[in-house]
Amino acid sequence: MMLDPETQAIPRDCGDCPIRHRAVCARCEADELELLDQIKYYRNFEAGQTVVWAGDKMDFVGSVVSGIATLTQTMEDGRTQMVGLMLPSDFVGRPGRQTAAYDVVATSDMVMCCFRKQPFEDMMSRTPHIAQRLLEMTLDELDAAREWMLVLGRKTAREKIASLLSIIARRDAALNIAGRQGPMVFVLPLTREAMADYLGLTLETVSRQISALKRDGVIVLEGKRHVTVPDFNRLLDEAGDDSDGGMLA
Amino acid sequence: MMLDPETQAIPRDCGDCPIRHRAVCARCEADELELLDQIKYYRNFEAGQTVVWAGDKMDFVGSVVSGIATLTQTMEDGRTQMVGLMLPSDFVGRPGRQTAAYDVVATSDMVMCCFRKQPFEDMMSRTPHIAQRLLEMTLDELDAAREWMLVLGRKTAREKIASLLSIIARRDAALNIAGRQGPMVFVLPLTREAMADYLGLTLETVSRQISALKRDGVIVLEGKRHVTVPDFNRLLDEAGDDSDGGMLA
DNA sequence: TAATGGTTTTGATCTGAATCAAGGCTGTGT
DNA sequence: ACACAGCCTTGATTCAGATCAAAACCATTA
């Protein structure tokens, strides 16, 4: 048996925080960081653990430091749609709101850097650098959500899978800054069911389309989760995106 | 023949602007409003006119004052998805970005209150009230986009139509503050094709489902655009939303 | 090693929405 | 009044993806 994961969080100095330059604190000066440092606390979540349920009171906000979380919406009859995939540096929660709008679930083991909502809001109103960065991040998320509307509304099952894979591949390439030319390799952080919930498909269709992409040589699988992409432009092409090298910006 | 509609814009004092309390300027004090007033200008668009094409340089941002605009994304093969419906007070454009991310088209005659991007950005960094309000509006839009992801990913054609109708009905009720109990009445601001682009359907399916909702008494049509909703909760129910009176907040 | 439970694959069939194809309605200009 | 153009409706057929069903895979635990 393990200790309560919540108690394992290791205090960390903002200076060597892996998301220092991308998270909501990215623009903060040393003195501002100091203040944030005083109100932050870490929380660990195990894979599968729920962070909050939609509608529940949520008295904190925070950044994903490592691991992955999902935001999902559920209808009364059980149909679910994932509406956000929260990766390291992404911001969870909404200042100025009392309750969670979506179920937030840790898909892998995850660490969050949290702030109690009230102190964070106070700080936000006194620290333009935080509000500025949050606006920028929110605009980026809005663009991502709109991009996803096109995927959900107009793409075929095969294109949907290719779109998801290319997003994950791109992100992975961005983290492992390696400006490599060779084939991209990554681990799928989602089950087939989670992919289906993201893509508005059934898990059977997800499985079939992954098999088809494998059969056609667009991807190579080792095990169920380990993916190799021999030709990224080919994958983009299958996703129906502009195939010109959008190149990992 | 008409005059170039762009020249018809009538300067208007911010004091009696119909979107004064809801737009990006909502939180501004009198002196801040004064400054905005100096850099604003109005533009008129005719129904069907394109405001900007995706990818084109966009050197202004602004608020919809009256009328309706749409944001759409198009794939190379012509498939299109509407990703935003811009109503009075909604904010068009993104500070800090050079080019338009989406096609912006006026669906009806429309008036926009515009600001050249650079002066607006300068002002934003000096006027927290503007940045704060923009953050709030962007968070609202993000919520709306995520709501729409559920519609696109998981709802049936009938539910999609009912969802769209209830959104339009709700908005109309919010504008005509009338706290009426009777049946809701409104004019559809979109063609069948535009509805299809919003809902990820074909226009034939839109037409069929509207006919079906009419046949089943969920809505009453006079002409093609004039809609009456005898029982709003019934409509919400058809949309698959929580049917408890979410009540026009 | 075997039993167990969660995940994934694959097959057979069904179905909701797309596609293909006429027509109908309404307003505008001649 | 008529012709034309844009929208919209309706019908027939097709097809992509859902649903139903079974089995394979894989990691634990007994």
Side-chain angles (χ1 to χ4, degrees):
Chain A
M1 249 305 59
M2 309 178 63
L3 291 173
D4 173 6
E6 298 268 344
T7 69
Q8 301 178 354
I10 297 147
R12 188 202 296 268
D13 183 64
C14 290
D16 24 88
C17 177
I19 57 170
R20 168 73 181 86
H21 323 287
R22 313 185 116 237
V24 73
C25 52
R27 288 241 241 285
C28 289
E29 310 287 350
D31 57 331
E32 296 166 333
L33 217 52
E34 179 72 21
L35 291 169
L36 270 183
D37 205 1
Q38 284 166 21
I39 63 169
K40 81 171 197 246
Y41 59 98
Y42 290 95
R43 288 182 67 183
N44 285 13
F45 298 91
E46 292 185 310
Q49 203 182 340
T50 295
V51 178
V52 265
W53 295 102
D56 281 3
K57 186 142 181 292
M58 183 164 177
D59 54 8
F60 68 97
V61 296
S63 304
V64 175
V65 175
S66 64
I68 294 182
T70 60
L71 306 184
T72 58
Q73 264 186 310
T74 305
M75 296 171 66
E76 299 101 273
D77 63 6
R79 280 176 283 176
T80 66
Q81 174 66 50
M82 195 184 298
V83 297
L85 190 59
M86 310 309 274
L87 304 171
S89 85
D90 282 339
F91 187 79
V92 178
R94 175 171 173 166
R97 170 175 287 165
Q98 288 302 318
T99 58
Y102 313 101
D103 294 331
V104 181
V105 177
T107 285
S108 64
D109 289 349
M110 181 188 63
V111 179
M112 277 188 68
C113 172
C114 301
F115 309 96
R116 274 180 306 117
K117 199 150 60 66
Q118 190 55 57
F120 184 81
E121 285 167 12
D122 295 345
M123 177 134 188
M124 224 174 69
S125 61
R126 275 180 280 110
T127 313
H129 282 162
I130 295 178
Q132 279 167 20
R133 176 65 186 144
L134 186 57
L135 173 58
E136 190 174 45
M137 292 174 73
T138 306
L139 286 165
D140 285 342
E141 276 202 271
L142 182 57
D143 280 338
R146 285 174 166 163
E147 177 85 33
W148 210 249
M149 287 173 65
L150 175 65
V151 172
L152 289 172
R154 293 302 185 190
K155 290 194 177 179
T156 65
R158 168 183 266 243
E159 289 170 335
K160 285 178 175 181
I161 298 289
S163 297
L164 179 57
L165 293 177
S166 54
I167 284 176
I168 295 173
R170 216 192 298 263
R171 154 186 83 80
D172 248 63
L175 286 188
N176 318 339
I177 326 105
R180 303 177 315 8
Q181 277 306 84
M184 303 173 106
V185 176
F186 58 92
V187 173
L188 272 178
L190 300 173
T191 66
R192 300 289 185 261
E193 186 177 30
M195 286 189 251
D197 281 346
Y198 202 7
L199 296 166
L201 299 171
T202 59
L203 68 89
E204 292 96 326
T205 298
V206 169
S207 180
R208 271 185 251 273
Q209 295 299 335
I210 288 181
S211 298
L213 289 174
K214 182 169 109 186
R215 194 159 45 245
D216 298 344
V218 181
I219 57 173
V220 178
L221 280 186
E222 289 162 68
K224 316 250 168 237
R225 297 295 193 90
H226 188 98
V227 180
T228 302
V229 179
D231 177 355
F232 190 61
N233 282 329
R234 171 83 196 283
L235 183 63
L236 286 182
D237 209 55
E238 293 286 354
D241 292 341
D242 270 326
S243 56
D244 71 53
M247 287 306 91
L248 358 152
Chain B
M1 246 307 60
M2 309 178 63
L3 293 171
D4 172 7
E6 300 267 344
T7 69
Q8 300 179 352
I10 296 147
R12 188 203 296 269
D13 183 64
C14 290
D16 25 87
C17 178
I19 57 169
R20 167 71 181 87
H21 320 288
R22 311 184 119 237
V24 72
C25 51
R27 287 240 241 284
C28 290
E29 310 287 351
D31 56 332
E32 296 165 333
L33 216 52
E34 179 73 20
L35 292 170
L36 272 183
D37 205 0
Q38 285 166 20
I39 62 168
K40 82 172 196 245
Y41 59 99
Y42 290 95
R43 287 183 68 183
N44 285 13
F45 298 92
E46 290 185 309
Q49 203 181 342
T50 295
V51 177
V52 265
W53 295 102
D56 280 4
K57 186 143 181 292
M58 183 165 177
D59 53 8
F60 67 97
V61 297
S63 304
V64 176
V65 176
S66 64
I68 293 182
T70 60
L71 306 184
T72 59
Q73 264 186 309
T74 305
M75 296 171 67
E76 299 101 273
D77 64 4
R79 281 175 282 176
T80 66
Q81 174 66 51
M82 195 185 298
V83 297
L85 190 59
M86 310 309 272
L87 304 170
S89 84
D90 283 340
F91 188 79
V92 178
R94 174 170 172 166
R97 171 174 285 166
Q98 288 301 317
T99 59
Y102 314 101
D103 294 332
V104 182
V105 177
T107 286
S108 64
D109 289 349
M110 181 186 65
V111 179
M112 276 187 69
C113 172
C114 301
F115 310 96
R116 273 181 308 116
K117 198 150 60 64
Q118 190 55 59
F120 184 81
E121 285 167 12
D122 295 345
M123 179 137 184
M124 225 176 68
S125 61
R126 276 180 281 109
T127 314
H129 282 163
I130 295 178
Q132 278 167 19
R133 176 64 185 145
L134 186 58
L135 174 58
E136 189 175 45
M137 292 174 73
T138 306
L139 286 165
D140 285 342
E141 276 203 89
L142 182 56
D143 281 338
R146 284 173 167 164
E147 177 85 33
W148 209 249
M149 287 173 64
L150 175 66
V151 172
L152 289 172
R154 293 302 186 190
K155 290 194 178 181
T156 64
R158 168 182 267 243
E159 289 169 333
K160 284 178 175 180
I161 298 289
S163 297
L164 179 57
L165 293 177
S166 54
I167 283 175
I168 295 172
R170 217 192 298 264
R171 155 185 83 80
D172 249 63
L175 286 188
N176 318 340
I177 327 103
R180 303 182 308 14
Q181 278 306 84
M184 302 172 107
V185 176
F186 59 92
V187 172
L188 271 178
L190 301 173
T191 65
R192 300 290 186 260
E193 187 177 31
M195 287 189 249
D197 281 345
Y198 202 6
L199 296 167
L201 298 171
T202 59
L203 69 89
E204 293 96 327
T205 298
V206 169
S207 180
R208 272 185 251 273
Q209 295 299 335
I210 288 181
S211 298
L213 289 173
K214 183 170 108 184
R215 193 159 46 247
D216 298 344
V218 180
I219 57 173
V220 178
L221 279 186
E222 289 162 69
K224 317 254 169 232
R225 297 295 193 89
H226 188 99
V227 180
T228 302
V229 180
D231 177 356
F232 190 61
N233 282 328
R234 172 82 196 282
L235 183 63
L236 286 182
D237 209 54
E238 292 286 353
D241 292 340
D242 270 327
S243 56
D244 70 53
M247 288 306 91
L248 357 150

